[in-house]
Amino acid sequence: MSEDLDSTSPWDDEERPSSTTHSDTTKKTHKVKGKRSAIRSRNGRKTKATPATTETADDAQNVDPLGPLGAASGTTDAIESSKSIIAPIDEESAKISQEIESFTLNSERLNLFGKNSSSEENSSNPVDGVQQGLENASINDNGQSVGGTSQESSVDSKLSEQVPQSTFAITVGDPIKVSDLASAHTVYTVQTQTTSPNFSKAEATVTRRYRDFRWLFHALENNNPGVIIPPPPEKQAVGRFKDEFIEGRRLALEVMLNKIARHQVLQNDPDFKIFLESDSFSSDVKSSAAANASTSHDEESKSSGFMGSFGFSFSNKFVETDQFFTDKRKYIDSLESQFKYLSKSLDLVIGQRQELGDVTQEFANILATLSKVELSKGFSEVIENFAAVQERIRDIYYRQSLQDTMSISTTIDEYLRLIHSIRNVFSQRQKSYFTLHAAEQELSKRRHQLEKLTRNKTTTLLDKINSIKQDVETQEKVVVNARVAFDDISTRIVRELERFEREKTEDFRDSVELFLENAIEAQKEAIELWETFYQRSGFGSAAPAGTAPANVSV
């Protein structure tokens, strides 16, 4: 799914000229979308933006300590004097609490990053185990952080869980076909309303095309290893400008953006901010790509060392030792198979319903032709009204098949794409393991060299021994950083899989509910049409001889 950035544009063009016209189908799909949003909003399970509410103690501080009757008591002077005595005690307690919180936070950082000791103090013992590397894991010879990105991210993730989540309301609409000399494509209007302090304005409106959404997906995937990124819909070369396809893609892109916005980590990603509010999108994308490439190169050289970039070349086949991930891989494979079977069955139901609509139309045409035969005026009117009812029933079949596509079928397709993203995070974890394994092999090699030179210690080899000692110390830090990165991405994937299960349950429940709502409404509408035709045609009652039944308005 990845797309390379060319020299003239940050994406590859995939669009080709075609033509499209707006029809009643688009209006009906917008009606379906509005109903879906209304149902979800009414049930309170899934909306476009889920505002996060936090409780504070501000209101509690304004309440009188003695309750509602405290202010009415006659001991005002005693209360004031007691406050003057308690105030210093409260200030001292607040200072103690702040010191405890500061000590706890510092302890947590020290436990994760290692002790803040320089390599010069420990250079006399270079061939110790990984424990020595733990004490110097995040500090280099200049006292600066080495490979601290993954370590700091684990602490930041813990701290960010306590920060209230910003709210987002994102809509993707107004698809417009754009034709130019190079290619033809569809442009969507993305409107954003947010309370996030990371954005320069609370409301933003930009225009984006399909390849821009694909860029966002790959950018978030590279910036957030271990996070399951909601993917955009797949490319399609044929029928890209049909109204039904454009509406389905528009809805999928809107769902993608809102899921990203609800993710506490992804909503703060700089590339997500660029996508939602940048007016100079092309230049900002190129600047972001250059900055990310430079950062990735620096982090790779710090965390992996020289041999880290060749992790796959020097590693054996990956063998999973964690039973949790083994079971999850099997579960994901089974879930994908079930979704594919369900998708095929649903496509068959939708296809048969569309065929039923086509047959109903043919039946209506035959009835309309029969009504023109001058057998009797009353009979002709009944047949003509019967044909009109059949045409309305045909519309119900077509609309219901489209609603089924927009409910369960869309959700199934979305989760099939999410399963592909889950496999991507498994591959990222596997790559992190290979990096760790390559670093351990390099450390073992350098230790062996040091031991060999130490046994044959001579004056001429003293400088070389000291140089290899420094290499061993540096490589020990690389190994520890790689191990921390591997553990960090494993922990993040576990959290993401738990989140995936929760959202899967909610999304499919909403989809089934919408499916049932649409089916019930379609049946009610059909019953109303038949009852109206039955009553106004005079069926069930004895009409006077020679009287024509009333005209049926359908």
Side-chain angles (χ1 to χ4, degrees):
M1 291 178 62
S2 60
E3 295 182 352
D4 298 331
L5 302 178
D6 56 18
S7 58
T8 59
S9 172
W11 320 272
D12 291 330
D13 291 333
E14 75 284 54
E15 311 287 357
R16 297 186 301 181
S18 183
S19 61
T20 182
T21 58
H22 292 283
S23 63
D24 296 337
T25 306
T26 304
K27 298 179 181 179
K28 294 174 182 178
T29 53
H30 282 289
K31 181 179 179 181
V32 174
K33 172 183 174 294
K35 175 168 180 58
R36 182 179 185 178
S37 302
I39 291 176
R40 290 184 173 180
S41 177
R42 182 192 66 194
N43 293 306
R45 278 196 297 272
K46 182 173 182 180
T47 58
K48 290 183 179 178
T50 305
T53 58
T54 56
E55 297 181 357
T56 61
D58 295 338
D59 297 336
Q61 293 176 358
N62 298 327
V63 179
D64 191 89
L66 300 180
L69 302 178
S73 63
T75 59
T76 304
D77 296 336
I79 293 175
E80 295 295 333
S81 60
S82 63
K83 288 182 178 180
S84 63
I85 297 174
I86 295 173
I89 299 176
D90 292 339
E91 294 177 357
E92 190 68 16
S93 300
K95 292 180 180 179
I96 295 173
S97 300
Q98 292 177 357
E99 293 177 358
I100 292 174
E101 292 177 358
S102 177
F103 174 78
T104 303
L105 181 59
N106 291 334
S107 300
E108 183 178 9
R109 291 182 179 273
L110 287 174
N111 289 335
L112 184 60
F113 294 155
K115 298 180 180 179
N116 187 6
S117 58
S118 64
S119 60
E120 295 178 356
E121 297 175 354
N122 302 286
S123 60
S124 59
N125 194 11
V127 200
D128 288 344
V130 177
Q131 183 64 31
Q132 182 67 26
L134 281 170
E135 298 180 356
N136 303 290
S138 59
I139 306 298
N140 63 8
D141 295 337
N142 297 323
Q144 299 176 346
S145 174
V146 174
T149 302
S150 60
Q151 299 167 344
E152 292 174 359
S153 63
S154 59
V155 171
D156 293 340
S157 62
K158 294 179 181 179
L159 298 179
S160 63
E161 291 176 356
Q162 303 174 1
V163 179
Q165 188 174 2
S166 303
T167 59
F168 287 80
I170 304 175
T171 59
V172 179
D174 299 332
I176 300 175
K177 178 187 174 183
V178 177
S179 300
D180 52 26
L181 297 177
S183 64
H185 57 274
T186 304
V187 173
Y188 303 89
T189 300
V190 181
Q191 295 180 342
T192 305
Q193 295 179 352
T194 180
T195 60
S196 174
N198 297 329
F199 285 70
S200 58
K201 44 191 176 182
E203 296 183 2
T205 301
V206 295
T207 57
R208 299 287 183 260
R209 56 185 295 185
Y210 171 71
R211 67 183 184 186
D212 301 337
F213 290 86
R214 291 181 62 85
W215 168 85
L216 175 64
F217 169 73
H218 293 300
L220 295 178
E221 194 174 43
N222 294 331
N223 298 342
N224 304 274
V227 176
I228 301 174
I229 312 297
E234 297 290 341
K235 287 184 178 182
Q236 181 167 327
V238 180
R240 293 180 295 112
F241 297 103
K242 292 183 178 179
D243 290 342
E244 294 181 4
F245 174 78
I246 291 177
E247 175 61 20
R249 172 176 280 188
R250 183 206 62 79
L251 179 61
L253 295 176
E254 183 174 284
V255 171
M256 167 192 170
L257 292 182
N258 281 282
K259 282 202 169 186
I260 293 174
R262 287 196 297 269
H263 197 288
Q264 197 165 3
V265 175
L266 299 180
Q267 67 174 215
N268 297 319
D269 192 282
D271 288 331
F272 187 52
K273 177 177 179 293
I274 290 175
F275 179 88
L276 291 182
E277 68 175 8
S278 175
D279 295 326
S280 56
F281 185 67
S282 180
S283 59
D284 289 341
V285 165
K286 292 180 180 179
S287 301
S288 176
N292 290 338
S294 176
T295 304
S296 300
H297 176 74
D298 293 341
E299 291 179 356
E300 182 180 354
S301 61
K302 288 180 180 180
S303 61
S304 301
F306 175 76
M307 302 298 291
S309 60
F310 302 99
F312 287 100
S313 300
F314 292 92
S315 299
N316 296 325
K317 183 178 179 180
F318 178 74
V319 178
E320 184 61 71
T321 58
D322 193 325
Q323 187 62 35
F324 172 83
F325 287 97
T326 302
D327 295 340
K328 283 299 179 182
R329 286 177 181 271
K330 294 179 180 179
Y331 166 73
I332 292 300
D333 293 340
S334 175
L335 186 64
E336 182 182 32
S337 299
Q338 293 175 4
F339 280 159
K340 287 181 177 180
Y341 290 143
L342 181 59
S343 179
K344 289 181 180 180
S345 301
L346 187 60
D347 289 342
L348 183 60
V349 172
I350 294 173
Q352 289 179 347
R353 187 164 287 154
Q354 291 176 345
E355 291 178 0
L356 181 59
D358 296 338
V359 173
T360 303
Q361 178 62 54
E362 294 179 2
F363 182 50
N365 294 337
I366 295 175
L367 290 175
T369 303
L370 181 62
S371 66
K372 297 178 182 179
V373 178
E374 293 295 338
L375 298 178
S376 68
K377 183 178 180 181
F379 178 76
S380 296
E381 289 181 355
V382 171
I383 297 301
E384 183 180 359
N385 293 331
F386 189 27
V389 172
Q390 290 295 331
E391 290 182 352
R392 292 291 302 274
I393 296 297
R394 174 212 60 189
D395 294 338
I396 293 176
Y397 289 146
Y398 286 157
R399 186 175 69 251
Q400 192 173 359
S401 65
L402 181 60
Q403 290 171 343
D404 294 345
T405 302
M406 292 300 175
S407 57
I408 297 182
S409 181
T410 301
T411 304
I412 294 174
D413 293 340
E414 174 190 349
Y415 273 85
L416 285 174
R417 297 193 300 269
L418 276 173
I419 287 176
H420 181 73
S421 294
I422 293 175
R423 289 200 173 97
N424 287 344
V425 299
F426 285 157
S427 298
Q428 291 172 347
R429 178 176 176 270
Q430 181 175 333
K431 182 178 179 180
S432 178
Y433 170 81
F434 285 139
T435 300
L436 170 62
H437 186 61
E440 290 176 340
Q441 287 183 335
E442 183 66 16
L443 176 60
S444 177
K445 177 182 176 181
R446 295 184 181 182
R447 282 176 173 172
H448 180 71
Q449 292 177 352
L450 180 59
E451 292 176 356
K452 184 176 180 180
L453 291 176
T454 303
R455 287 195 300 266
N456 301 326
K457 187 174 182 181
T458 61
T459 306
T460 58
L461 298 177
L462 186 59
D463 293 340
K464 188 174 182 179
I465 291 175
N466 292 333
S467 176
I468 296 181
K469 284 182 180 180
Q470 295 179 359
D471 292 343
V472 170
E473 290 179 354
T474 302
Q475 191 63 27
E476 284 179 345
K477 299 173 187 178
V478 171
V479 170
V480 175
N481 288 331
R483 185 174 298 279
V484 170
F486 177 74
D487 293 340
D488 185 67
I489 194 174
S490 300
T491 303
R492 189 180 298 117
I493 291 175
V494 172
R495 293 199 304 266
E496 287 295 307
L497 290 175
E498 293 175 354
R499 190 172 190 271
F500 170 80
E501 289 297 326
R502 292 195 303 269
E503 290 187 350
K504 177 170 65 69
T505 302
E506 295 174 359
D507 290 344
F508 273 93
R509 181 182 177 87
D510 291 338
S511 298
V512 172
E513 180 181 6
L514 181 60
F515 178 85
L516 295 177
E517 290 272 354
N518 294 333
I520 292 173
E521 289 182 1
Q523 294 299 322
K524 287 182 177 179
E525 186 176 352
I527 291 174
E528 183 179 357
L529 288 173
W530 288 122
E531 288 181 345
T532 302
F533 172 72
Y534 181 85
Q535 294 173 0
R536 295 186 179 183
S537 296
F539 296 113
S541 60
T547 302
N551 188 20
V552 181
S553 176
V554 291

